[in-house]
Amino acid sequence: MPISSINPATGEVLQTFDALTGQQLEQKITRAAESFRMHRLISFADRAEKMMRAAEILESEKHELARTMTLEMGKPLNAAVQEAEKCAWVCRYYAENAERHLADEIIETNATKSYVRFQPLGAVLAVMPWNFPFWQVFRFAAPALMAGNVGLLKHASNVPQCALAIEDILRRAGFVEGTFQTLLIDSDAVQKVLEDERVAAATLTGSEPAGRSVASIAGRHIKKTVLELGGSDPFIVMPSANFADAVSTAVKARTINNGQSCIAAKRFIVHEQIYDRFETEIVTAMNELSVGDPLEEKTDIGPLATDQILNDLEGQVKLSIAAGARILTGGQRVKFDGKLARGNFYQPTVLADIPHEAPAYRDEIFGPVASLFRIITIDEAIELANATTFGLGSAAWTNDAQERERFINQLEAGCVFINGMVASDPRLPFGGIKNSGYGRELGEFGIREFVNVKTVWIK
């Protein structure tokens, strides 16, 4: 079946692409295996030169690339420009640091010389999501290619133009043909690719079911995987916090990327001393957000990426309200001029008094919906924050040193941000625990995920 690019703001089909035939897919995997034999022998300096060129292309063409992102998945245009710039940053980071991160590590033993050498594995399959269609890919591609691996990208089916643009950028940057290839294939074809003996490993960012599927296939074939499967991040605010900063950051942390971010704050856990004020101010701030055409500069919130995501979000909110949650604002599809919007628009929404059995209590809500919780003690805050199957990001706002240490040590998450918004950074490892997945991207840990950690002993 054809793969379609659909504008989520209008429902317009922008372009369609034919999925690869079996023969075309075979050719691409063969090309990946052949290019790996060459690419792995290229010096770090040569790889770095090419990766720096990719960064230059991303920056010089950021406005055109941003428009492609916005048209395919609906993020506000300014945010899309920032995404392209961040991709350039990760390319430069690994161009400058890969050789240092993968340098031989000398270890003193009874040998004349013993050390660890880090060597590439081969072709790595990347199954990537639509919400950050460039950033999610480049944060895999930059370290993988700098380590000497080659990449096969199975991108989300609703962002094919982004997927092809990324391959084109890396090709124009000078990487050998076949070093990074986009596979326009359906999800059903992923198993065939992963089972191929020429594919060494896989990384996936996406849903739990998708992660379980890829991990099980890879497990049967003894292949390394890295999984990032989403989150239900807590955002805790204690009485000692800088209240104004906490509120303004809370709104941004909930609505970034139209609320469609794995590390977006989703559950706001607020101490009773400041809860009523926090509730009033976050509702006011959410009501002031501008919802509309993501190509317009004034727009804060664009459409959700697909009609299925809109339907799922609407269902989660309705079930939460039916279970007893109180709606403070929003909770409806958007109307323009009194008529239901053509695109996948949903009002910025705030829920409170959420019962344990409601989806908004612990599930991942992928859209501009904030869930508020009132707590009395830090023990209650930590217990509620950890009352989810996810463990990706977490944020806590406090200026109390003892509270800070307790949050750092006791929040069950891959990262804890104190007095700030959770964000990914090329310099820091990124990933989760529990049902949020395993393994790490970015930083030194990220580039070492897809290498052979080889022990060398000489006497």
Side-chain angles (χ1 to χ4, degrees), residues 16 43 148 155 225 256 320 363 399 435:
T16 59
S43 68
H155 216 326
T225 53
I256 187 171
S320 295
D363 293 347
N399 285 308
N435 285 7

Side-chain angles (χ1 to χ4, degrees), residues 304-321:
L304 300 179
T306 68
D307 55 0
Q308 184 61 57
I309 295 165
L310 174 61
N311 291 335
D312 290 345
L313 178 68
E314 185 177 47
Q316 288 175 307
V317 172
K318 286 181 177 178
L319 285 173
S320 295
I321 294 170

Side-chain angles (χ1 to χ4, degrees), residues 75-354:
K75 70 170 71 243
L77 189 60
N78 288 337
V81 171
Q82 293 168 9
E83 182 170 335
E85 292 171 340
K86 192 171 184 178
C87 292
W89 180 19
V90 78
C91 288
R92 286 201 172 93
Y93 173 81
Y94 280 109
E96 294 169 352
N97 293 285
E99 185 171 10
R100 176 174 60 87
H101 288 331
L102 298 178
D104 292 349
E105 289 191 3
I106 304 297
I107 299 174
E108 295 297 328
T109 68
N110 61 343
T112 304
K113 185 178 183 181
S114 53
Y115 58 94
V116 175
R117 176 160 293 178
F118 303 96
Q119 296 181 310
L121 296 180
V124 181
L125 171 65
V127 182
M128 293 288 111
W130 46 264
N131 55 340
F132 294 93
F134 273 65
W135 170 243
Q136 300 278 11
V137 177
F138 272 98
R139 76 185 193 190
F140 149 74
L145 269 57
M146 283 303 302
N149 296 299
V150 300
L152 293 168
L153 170 64
K154 193 292 178 200
H155 216 326
S157 59
N158 59 319
V159 289
Q161 293 186 80
C162 291
L164 292 169
I166 293 167
E167 178 181 339
D168 181 63
I169 289 168
L170 292 169
R171 178 187 56 78
R172 286 190 285 139
F175 286 100
V176 175
E177 184 180 0
T179 302
F180 188 92
Q181 300 176 87
T182 284
L183 307 179
L184 292 182
I185 56 176
D186 295 324
S187 297
D188 293 344
V190 169
Q191 179 170 347
K192 179 180 179 181
V193 177
L194 190 48
E195 289 178 337
D196 194 294
E197 63 181 8
R198 295 165 293 181
V199 175
T203 180
L204 177 141
T205 298
S207 68
E208 276 187 80
R212 293 180 192 278
S213 175
V214 165
S216 63
I217 296 167
R220 290 196 299 271
H221 294 271
I222 321 297
K223 295 183 180 182
K224 175 71 178 291
T225 53
V226 170
L227 303 179
E228 194 264 276
L229 307 179
S232 184
D233 287 12
F235 187 105
I236 303 169
V237 187
M238 301 298 285
S240 66
N242 182 314
F243 186 84
D245 284 351
V247 172
S248 61
T249 304
V251 175
K252 182 180 179 181
R254 175 59 284 205
T255 60
I256 187 171
N257 205 41
N258 306 336
Q260 301 165 120
S261 171
C262 300
I263 53 172
K266 300 179 176 77
R267 297 176 296 133
F268 297 86
I269 300 168
V270 185
H271 193 278
E272 65 170 359
Q273 290 182 23
I274 54 174
Y275 176 88
D276 291 337
R277 183 181 168 200
F278 185 92
E279 179 183 287
T280 298
E281 295 203 16
I282 195 172
V283 168
T284 299
M286 293 285 273
N287 284 334
E288 291 174 349
L289 295 172
S290 173
V291 180
D293 184 351
L295 291 173
E296 294 185 3
E297 188 172 347
K298 67 178 183 179
T299 296
D300 299 308
I301 306 290
L304 300 179
T306 68
D307 55 0
Q308 184 61 57
I309 295 165
L310 174 61
N311 291 335
D312 290 345
L313 178 68
E314 185 177 47
Q316 288 175 307
V317 172
K318 286 181 177 178
L319 285 173
S320 295
I321 294 170
R326 181 165 55 97
I327 190 161
L328 303 180
T329 189
Q332 302 287 332
R333 298 188 184 212
V334 172
K335 291 183 179 179
F336 295 132
D337 299 323
K339 297 181 180 179
L340 201 63
R342 288 176 58 197
N344 306 320
F345 294 93
Y346 196 80
Q347 295 174 341
T349 299
V350 182
L351 301 176
D353 300 333
I354 302 163

Side-chain angles (χ1 to χ4, degrees), residues 412-423:
E412 297 170 354
C415 63
V416 177
F417 278 57
I418 304 296
N419 299 332
M421 189 177 88
V422 176

